[in-house]
Amino acid sequence: SEFVREEALLNQDLATATVLPCRIAVCSDASGSTIATVKPTDLFAATGLQHSDTLAQEVERELLAIIDEAAS
């Protein structure tokens, strides 16, 4: 399950908790809605996490898929 995977990631490096879960902001007004987030690859790189290249890319793919689905 998703929770088991996340627990395994946190057990590898507790610093991962500083960037997960990723936030998604949704703002709406009369002209429409805007969905915004900070790319996980940028967050992981900024914190210097050891597995930033592979884990961040995986998280980013999933996050962008969620945003794309919400936007359609």
Side-chain angles (χ1 to χ4, degrees), residues 6-66:
E6 289 175 4
E7 182 180 5
L9 294 173
L10 291 175
N11 285 336
Q12 286 177 6
D13 186 350
L14 288 177
T16 303
T18 63
V19 294
L20 292 177
C22 297
R23 289 177 170 74
I24 300 172
V26 180
C27 301
S28 298
D29 60 22
S31 64
S33 297
T34 300
I35 302 172
T37 191
V38 176
K39 287 183 169 185
T41 50
D42 293 339
L43 287 173
F44 277 65
T47 59
L49 291 171
Q50 63 184 354
H51 42 55
S52 63
D53 52 346
T54 55
L55 177 59
Q57 290 169 2
E58 179 183 342
V59 171
E60 190 166 306
R61 275 192 302 275
E62 292 180 22
L63 185 64
L64 293 176
I66 290 167

